[in-house]
Tab-separated table of all heavy atoms in Angstrom:
chain	number	residue	atom	x	y	z
A	328	CYS	N	11.982	8.190	2.218
A	328	CYS	CA	12.044	9.619	1.890
A	328	CYS	C	13.228	10.294	2.589
A	328	CYS	O	13.539	9.981	3.735
A	328	CYS	CB	10.759	10.321	2.336
A	328	CYS	SG	9.303	9.787	1.430
A	329	ALA	N	13.839	11.254	1.879
A	329	ALA	CA	14.965	11.983	2.461
A	329	ALA	C	14.470	13.123	3.346
A	329	ALA	O	15.229	13.667	4.145
A	329	ALA	CB	15.865	12.520	1.350
A	330	SER	N	13.206	13.529	3.203
A	330	SER	CA	12.662	14.580	4.063
A	330	SER	C	11.171	14.338	4.267
A	330	SER	O	10.571	13.521	3.577
A	330	SER	CB	12.887	15.961	3.441
A	330	SER	OG	12.241	16.032	2.188
A	331	ASP	N	10.575	15.050	5.230
A	331	ASP	CA	9.159	14.880	5.539
A	331	ASP	C	8.502	16.260	5.634
A	331	ASP	O	8.791	17.019	6.551
A	331	ASP	CB	9.017	14.123	6.874
A	331	ASP	CG	7.563	13.915	7.263
A	331	ASP	OD1	6.664	14.180	6.446
A	331	ASP	OD2	7.324	13.489	8.413
A	332	PRO	N	7.651	16.595	4.667
A	332	PRO	CA	7.048	17.927	4.674
A	332	PRO	C	5.910	18.091	5.687
A	332	PRO	O	5.330	19.165	5.782
A	332	PRO	CB	6.521	18.089	3.240
A	332	PRO	CG	6.288	16.698	2.758
A	332	PRO	CD	7.237	15.804	3.499
A	333	PHE	N	5.608	17.026	6.438
A	333	PHE	CA	4.425	17.057	7.305
A	333	PHE	C	4.780	17.041	8.790
A	333	PHE	O	5.865	16.637	9.174
A	333	PHE	CB	3.544	15.834	7.031
A	333	PHE	CG	3.195	15.677	5.580
A	333	PHE	CD1	3.797	14.696	4.814
A	333	PHE	CD2	2.277	16.530	4.993
A	333	PHE	CE1	3.484	14.558	3.470
A	333	PHE	CE2	1.957	16.390	3.648
A	333	PHE	CZ	2.564	15.405	2.890
A	334	THR	N	3.811	17.458	9.608
A	334	THR	CA	3.911	17.277	11.059
A	334	THR	C	2.654	16.548	11.533
A	334	THR	O	1.661	16.481	10.825
A	334	THR	CB	4.017	18.636	11.796
A	334	THR	OG1	2.891	19.437	11.417
A	334	THR	CG2	5.295	19.352	11.445
A	335	GLY	N	2.716	15.997	12.752
A	335	GLY	CA	1.559	15.330	13.346
A	335	GLY	C	1.341	13.928	12.818
A	335	GLY	O	2.020	13.479	11.896
A	336	GLY	N	0.400	13.220	13.436
A	336	GLY	CA	0.032	11.883	12.963
A	336	GLY	C	0.995	10.798	13.385
A	336	GLY	O	1.885	11.019	14.211
A	337	PRO	N	0.824	9.589	12.828
A	337	PRO	CA	1.660	8.453	13.215
A	337	PRO	C	3.154	8.748	13.018
A	337	PRO	O	3.530	9.417	12.067
A	337	PRO	CB	1.210	7.335	12.263
A	337	PRO	CG	-0.146	7.736	11.810
A	337	PRO	CD	-0.170	9.235	11.815
A	338	ASN	N	3.947	8.226	13.942
A	338	ASN	CA	5.386	8.428	13.874
A	338	ASN	C	6.041	7.226	13.200
A	338	ASN	O	5.883	6.096	13.648
A	338	ASN	CB	5.920	8.609	15.307
A	338	ASN	CG	7.412	8.822	15.319
A	338	ASN	OD1	8.184	7.881	15.447
A	338	ASN	ND2	7.820	10.047	15.142
A	339	PHE	N	6.756	7.488	12.114
A	339	PHE	CA	7.463	6.429	11.404
A	339	PHE	C	8.936	6.512	11.776
A	339	PHE	O	9.615	7.464	11.426
A	339	PHE	CB	7.320	6.600	9.892
A	339	PHE	CG	5.945	6.298	9.367
A	339	PHE	CD1	4.878	7.147	9.606
A	339	PHE	CD2	5.710	5.143	8.622
A	339	PHE	CE1	3.607	6.864	9.117
A	339	PHE	CE2	4.445	4.851	8.130
A	339	PHE	CZ	3.388	5.713	8.379
A	340	SER	N	9.417	5.517	12.505
A	340	SER	CA	10.811	5.539	12.910
A	340	SER	C	11.409	4.160	12.661
A	340	SER	O	11.105	3.212	13.381
A	340	SER	CB	10.900	5.921	14.386
A	340	SER	OG	12.214	5.730	14.841
A	341	GLY	N	12.223	4.039	11.625
A	341	GLY	CA	12.756	2.735	11.264
A	341	GLY	C	11.613	1.782	10.993
A	341	GLY	O	10.666	2.101	10.282
A	342	ALA	N	11.679	0.603	11.606
A	342	ALA	CA	10.648	-0.405	11.366
A	342	ALA	C	9.358	-0.102	12.125
A	342	ALA	O	8.311	-0.680	11.838
A	342	ALA	CB	11.176	-1.768	11.802
A	343	ARG	N	9.442	0.810	13.094
A	343	ARG	CA	8.327	1.028	14.004
A	343	ARG	C	7.410	2.164	13.579
A	343	ARG	O	7.866	3.267	13.290
A	343	ARG	CB	8.879	1.335	15.388
A	343	ARG	CG	8.435	0.353	16.428
A	343	ARG	CD	9.341	0.321	17.636
A	343	ARG	NE	10.216	-0.846	17.568
A	343	ARG	CZ	9.800	-2.107	17.629
A	343	ARG	NH1	8.524	-2.382	17.732
A	343	ARG	NH2	10.656	-3.105	17.550
A	344	ILE	N	6.122	1.893	13.545
A	344	ILE	CA	5.132	2.936	13.288
A	344	ILE	C	4.312	3.064	14.565
A	344	ILE	O	3.672	2.110	15.003
A	344	ILE	CB	4.208	2.565	12.111
A	344	ILE	CG1	5.046	2.314	10.845
A	344	ILE	CG2	3.178	3.666	11.871
A	344	ILE	CD1	4.259	1.680	9.710
A	345	LYS	N	4.385	4.248	15.181
A	345	LYS	CA	3.656	4.462	16.431
A	345	LYS	C	2.458	5.355	16.152
A	345	LYS	O	2.606	6.469	15.639
A	345	LYS	CB	4.590	5.138	17.444
A	345	LYS	CG	4.681	4.371	18.760
A	345	LYS	CD	5.695	5.031	19.666
A	345	LYS	CE	5.300	5.132	21.107
A	345	LYS	NZ	4.207	4.578	21.724
A	346	MET	N	1.252	4.863	16.452
A	346	MET	CA	0.047	5.643	16.217
A	346	MET	C	0.008	6.792	17.222
A	346	MET	O	0.509	6.663	18.345
A	346	MET	CB	-1.200	4.772	16.364
A	346	MET	CG	-1.206	3.543	15.458
A	346	MET	SD	-0.830	3.882	13.721
A	346	MET	CE	-2.289	4.822	13.247
A	347	SER	N	-0.568	7.922	16.807
A	347	SER	CA	-0.669	9.059	17.733
A	347	SER	C	-2.136	9.303	18.076
A	347	SER	O	-3.030	8.751	17.446
A	347	SER	CB	-0.065	10.315	17.096
A	347	SER	OG	-1.030	10.958	16.293
A	348	ASP	N	-2.354	10.134	19.090
A	348	ASP	CA	-3.728	10.441	19.495
A	348	ASP	C	-4.294	11.635	18.742
A	348	ASP	O	-5.413	12.071	19.016
A	348	ASP	CB	-3.774	10.719	21.012
A	348	ASP	CG	-3.529	9.449	21.814
A	348	ASP	OD1	-3.856	8.360	21.296
A	348	ASP	OD2	-3.002	9.545	22.939
A	349	ASP	N	-3.510	12.183	17.794
A	349	ASP	CA	-4.023	13.317	17.024
A	349	ASP	C	-5.325	12.910	16.329
A	349	ASP	O	-5.406	11.827	15.753
A	349	ASP	CB	-3.001	13.742	15.952
A	349	ASP	CG	-1.703	14.212	16.568
A	349	ASP	OD1	-1.737	14.699	17.718
A	349	ASP	OD2	-0.652	14.094	15.906
A	350	PRO	N	-6.347	13.774	16.387
A	350	PRO	CA	-7.616	13.420	15.738
A	350	PRO	C	-7.484	13.321	14.224
A	350	PRO	O	-6.640	14.001	13.624
A	350	PRO	CB	-8.566	14.560	16.145
A	350	PRO	CG	-7.735	15.614	16.748
A	350	PRO	CD	-6.411	15.045	17.119
A	351	GLY	N	-8.290	12.475	13.614
A	351	GLY	CA	-8.258	12.282	12.163
A	351	GLY	C	-7.073	11.427	11.781
A	351	GLY	O	-6.590	10.606	12.563
A	352	VAL	N	-6.587	11.621	10.539
A	352	VAL	CA	-5.347	10.943	10.139
A	352	VAL	C	-4.199	11.586	10.921
A	352	VAL	O	-3.203	10.952	11.231
A	352	VAL	CB	-5.142	11.054	8.611
A	352	VAL	CG1	-3.791	10.487	8.192
A	352	VAL	CG2	-6.276	10.314	7.879
A	353	GLY	N	-4.377	12.860	11.236
A	353	GLY	CA	-3.435	13.552	12.118
A	353	GLY	C	-2.369	14.366	11.419
A	353	GLY	O	-1.596	15.073	12.062
A	354	ILE	N	-2.338	14.248	10.093
A	354	ILE	CA	-1.247	14.900	9.346
A	354	ILE	C	-1.577	16.360	9.042
A	354	ILE	O	-2.664	16.682	8.576
A	354	ILE	CB	-0.998	14.152	8.013
A	354	ILE	CG1	-0.614	12.707	8.281
A	354	ILE	CG2	0.049	14.887	7.185
A	354	ILE	CD1	0.766	12.495	8.840
A	355	ILE	N	-0.599	17.226	9.322
A	355	ILE	CA	-0.739	18.669	9.039
A	355	ILE	C	0.323	19.051	8.017
A	355	ILE	O	1.472	18.626	8.111
A	355	ILE	CB	-0.578	19.478	10.347
A	355	ILE	CG1	-1.749	19.132	11.279
A	355	ILE	CG2	-0.517	20.968	10.055
A	355	ILE	CD1	-1.590	19.680	12.678
A	356	TYR	N	-0.089	19.811	7.009
A	356	TYR	CA	0.818	20.170	5.921
A	356	TYR	C	0.828	21.682	5.759
A	356	TYR	O	0.086	22.247	4.982
A	356	TYR	CB	0.353	19.485	4.629
A	356	TYR	CG	1.232	19.718	3.420
A	356	TYR	CD1	2.592	19.988	3.553
A	356	TYR	CD2	0.699	19.662	2.145
A	356	TYR	CE1	3.383	20.192	2.441
A	356	TYR	CE2	1.483	19.870	1.015
A	356	TYR	CZ	2.827	20.140	1.177
A	356	TYR	OH	3.606	20.343	0.061
Side-chain angles (χ1 to χ4, degrees):
C328 294
S330 60
D331 180 10
F333 307 106
T334 56
N338 180 267
F339 289 72
S340 170
R343 240 159 258 295
I344 302 169
K345 234 176 138 8
M346 304 310 292
S347 85
D348 290 332
D349 298 333
V352 174
I354 300 288
I355 295 170
Y356 182 27

